[in-house]
Amino acid sequence: MTNHWIDLKNTDCALIIGSNAFENHPISSKWLMEAKEKRGAKIISVDPRFTRTSSKADIYAPMRSGTDIAFIGGMINYILQNNLYFKDYVVNYTNASFIVADTYDFNDGMFSGYDEKNRKYDKKLWGYKLDAEGKPLRDPSLQDPRCVFQLLKKHYSRYDIDTVCQVTGTPKELYEEICKTYAATGVPDKAGTILYAMGGTQHTVGSQNVRAYAILQLLLGNIGIPGGGVNALRGESNVQGSTDFGLLNNIITGYIPTPTADPEHATLSAYIEKETPKGGFLTNLPKFFVSYLKAMWGDAARPDNEFAYQYLPKRDPKTNYTHIGLFEAMYKGKLKGLICWGQNPVVGGPNSNKERKALEKLDWLVAADLWLTETMTFWTKEAGANPAEIKTEVFVLPAAASFEKEGSIASSGRWSQWRWQAVEPLGESRADLDIIHQLARRLKETYKDSTNPADEPIKYLYWNFGDGDECDVDKVAREINGQETATGKQVKNFLSLMDDGSTLCGNWIYSGIYPEEGKNLAQLREQDDPSGLGIYPRWSYAWPLNRRILYNRASADTTGKPWHPDKAVIWWDAVQKKWVGHDVPDFKAVIGPDDPAFLNPFIMQDDGKAWLFAKDKMNEGPFPEHYEPWESPVQNPFSKVQLNPVVKVWEPDKQSDPAKYPYVATTYRFSEHWQAGQMTRNLEWQAELVPEMVVEIGEALASELKIKDGDMVIVENSRGQVKARAMVTKRFRPLTVMGKTIHQVGMPWHFGYQGLITGDIANKLTPHVGDGNTMIPEYKAFLVNIRRAE
Ligand SMILES: Nc1nc2c(c(=O)[nH]1)N[C@H]1C(S)=C(S)[C@@H](COP(=O)(O)OP(=O)(O)OC[C@H]3O[C@@H](n4cnc5c(=O)[nH]c(N)nc54)[C@H](O)[C@@H]3O)O[C@H]1N2
Ligand SMILES: Nc1nc2c(c(=O)[nH]1)N[C@H]1C(S)=C(S)[C@@H](COP(=O)(O)OP(=O)(O)OC[C@H]3O[C@@H](n4cnc5c(=O)[nH]c(N)nc54)[C@H](O)[C@@H]3O)O[C@H]1N2
Ligand SMILES: [Mo]
């Protein structure tokens, strides 16, 4: 989230699209209902299915799954055509006025520079036109036909309300009402917030859906202010923490890119040269990166060995290390072993039949979990599995649950909150940190006398978290904050980090969380909120530097005064000559009106501006463009290009033919269950709330197919079959899409064959196809047929 949970109470309008916030993130409803009751805020819910969130909304609009870019693109067009954008904000704080290079072009669904063979664009063509000094040319009047603003306007002029509603299936009057209501937040005294989660991201265009939300928010001046923001409602309690701490393959801690085996990353200096931007805050990257290497290898990271840079595993640029990529490699027999840590891919992974087959190719599988999962027993419990033919050896490590261990978790609002242990772990189960600790210590013991240079990364791994079997979690927290290597003293924050080896730091964005004097700030629980905005500056610690609202410089105008007193967060104090206010400035506090950087609130960008035109960042183009999901019942009316052109399609995955599988299907969560189900299907009181696998079918489709509520049905497509009980509902209504009636059906993905209650795995139907940038699977839009079970 750019903002945070409590801040939702400050909004004037919440657009909840791609999330069922009130069921899956119930705390959102507490603050949004307060905004509604106290400030008369409006709530808009856009979802293919009427949810409990929709039931509390002022406006609910249905849409066809997979058409968010059309939906938001139409809103962008509405705002531009009717001059409803926040002009001062757009001109000064975004790249709207930048002139785009002549090499950028867009034609019939394609941007310039496409390489058909490799399904890749040459993104270098999408830059700015530069002056003699290499600075982008600008036209603050926004009239130049090649400025970002005009190109944006041209791009979305194709997204007129009629075409949009034909694609999304949303009734036109409802759509217009949403455009009007949300566009009303583009004024200084109003704020609109966007809440999204997996309904937005689990698509072949997931990243561009989020880009579309960002463009909309920037046009309305909704970033940086209380009650505004682009708010990603993160998944499990610590999903925010997992990406902060580099759990993804393409980043290490603090969102620093993982080095690759490319020549451009061959040495530490080459890596730094390539990855350090020429302007903006990330010019500090070398300090963060070298301090990270020092945290990894301590005294073995020295100036004469590139601070142990070569110990860090490098990604092969040709290998795809995402979830889908790894399971594809496993399926082809390229992987021998897998450690599955708190994950149950047989139920949660896409194309479950394929992923289970992939597990059969492993020599060994280690799984650390609280329960016996489907992933642990696939070789014996799955229907049709013959244990005699499956060689995979499975080792199970019993793990301790959250209440049985100590540590911090980061919420969606970037607040790192400490949790203390409540009870002792059961039986032989151990905290995950202790399991890792013992693994690390035993590996180090194994290789301690090795003379093989390949073993050095483990031999010299700096692991000073205690000598016993238990990991000292306090020491881990201290290392995350960072220390001076000579004295062992805690560094003040990331501004103290150095690139000469004199500091170490596990995660620069958390640096400042654990000061030398006082305690670990994640443990703070002070309840004062002087601003009344819900900032609670002394409750836990929010990265970076305890800032609660990111880009808060943009809450003030070009003279440093809040756009409106009601939306004041920080402001320029001409007497003290610094930025002051309710929140920690997300800006260098001493930059005043005399400095041109005064107008650069987006300090993480090299040019200090927010990007309406994402230049060379996104794989499929600088502006989000609507493409159909991989499996779709209709032709894309916006262009001849049906599928996002950069999406990787893995052979031999078969597309489900719309003639055989005509219904648009989606998957989602029920409040009553948790994820792959072990956490709730093993608890009697949860299990009985939703005891079996169901498929939701609208009344019209049910009557067409002669299916009654409670009948057993088969849902099927080219990848598999799922048996489920029909839940005939008003929540799904038929949509008219390009003159055709389209039915949508939906399933929870909480079921599997282990646990107190069991049921078919919805993911037998989902494809091994993912987003063009992140590879998140397209769980939210695919095709199926439904028939009554015999
Ligand atoms: N009770 C409970 N809470 C949870 C979880 C749980 O399992 N149980 N899981 C947690 C996790 S890990 C996560 S990631 C979050 C997920 O939070 P959400 O994203 O809210 O979860 P979903 O229910 O998967 O999907 C949200 C909505 O997206 C809609 N949708 C489907 N297709 C589309 C589309 O194309 N466009 C749009 N705009 N909407 C679409 C679905 O109908 C659904 O109502 O929830 C977290 N909270
Ligand atoms: N069709 C479809 N599939 C989806 C989604 C969807 O919307 N539709 N959503 C996707 C999303 S957003 C997510 S996040 C994934 C989730 O996929 P998974 O991560 O595979 O799902 P979980 O059930 O959360 O699995 C976590 C496991 O961790 C165990 N566990 C709980 N606490 C601990 C602990 O402290 N330590 C250890 N070691 N284990 C613990 C639980 O018992 C559980 O078995 O699923 C994805 N799959
Ligand atoms: Mo998630």
Side-chain angles (χ1 to χ4, degrees), residues 202 236 342 344 348 369 405 432 667 669 676 749 763 779-780:
Q202 291 172 342
E236 312 217 17
N344 187 4
D369 205 292
K405 61 195 176 196
D432 295 291
T667 56
R669 292 143 172 88
W749 60 280
N763 273 320
Y779 288 123
K780 287 284 188 274

Side-chain angles (χ1 to χ4, degrees), residues 161-231:
I161 294 188
D162 285 314
T163 313
V164 165
C165 291
Q166 288 218 6
V167 174
T168 63
T170 309
K172 208 172 137 181
E173 321 70 67
L174 271 178
Y175 186 73
E176 280 176 328
E177 198 189 338
I178 289 177
C179 289
K180 208 169 132 201
T181 309
Y182 200 69
T185 64
V187 290
D189 63 333
K190 294 273 184 284
T193 177
I194 293 187
L195 278 63
Y196 77 92
M198 295 302 120
T201 53
Q202 291 172 342
H203 295 283
T204 38
V205 292
S207 307
Q208 293 282 16
N209 282 341
V210 180
R211 281 273 309 139
Y213 307 152
I215 293 174
L216 180 62
Q217 288 297 66
L218 289 169
L219 288 177
L220 297 172
N222 277 335
I223 302 279
I225 56 175
V230 174
N231 291 307

Side-chain angles (χ1 to χ4, degrees), residues 414-540:
R414 295 166 285 104
W415 295 19
S416 178
Q417 308 191 66
W418 200 259
R419 302 201 292 202
W420 289 266
Q421 183 183 9
V423 290
E424 286 300 316
L426 288 180
E428 284 190 69
S429 60
R430 304 214 165 139
D432 295 291
L433 201 55
D434 292 344
I435 299 177
I436 298 171
H437 180 65
Q438 290 185 36
L439 187 63
R441 283 175 50 79
R442 286 181 205 191
L443 283 170
K444 279 181 72 69
E445 181 61 27
T446 307
Y447 292 106
K448 74 174 194 297
D449 299 322
S450 166
T451 51
N452 182 353
D455 299 334
E456 286 179 11
I458 288 182
K459 188 172 162 185
Y460 296 127
L461 187 68
Y462 181 58
W463 198 271
N464 67 331
F465 306 128
D467 298 330
D469 276 354
E470 281 180 21
C471 186
D472 185 336
V473 61
D474 185 65
K475 287 202 166 123
V476 176
R478 285 171 175 274
E479 182 176 302
I480 286 167
N481 175 84
Q483 291 153 358
E484 293 169 6
T485 44
T487 62
K489 275 200 178 138
Q490 298 295 99
V491 296
K492 184 154 178 254
N493 56 46
F494 51 71
L495 300 172
S496 328
L497 296 176
M498 303 299 284
D499 59 6
D500 59 4
S502 61
T503 56
L504 63 81
C505 176
N507 189 351
W508 74 272
I509 58 176
Y510 281 80
S511 187
I513 195 171
Y514 205 146
E516 176 66 19
E517 273 95 40
K519 63 178 174 185
N520 177 349
L521 301 179
Q523 298 179 350
L524 277 186
R525 290 295 183 274
E526 303 300 326
Q527 299 187 27
D528 48 310
D529 178 29
S531 66
L533 289 171
I535 287 176
Y536 295 98
R538 298 192 303 141
W539 179 286
S540 81

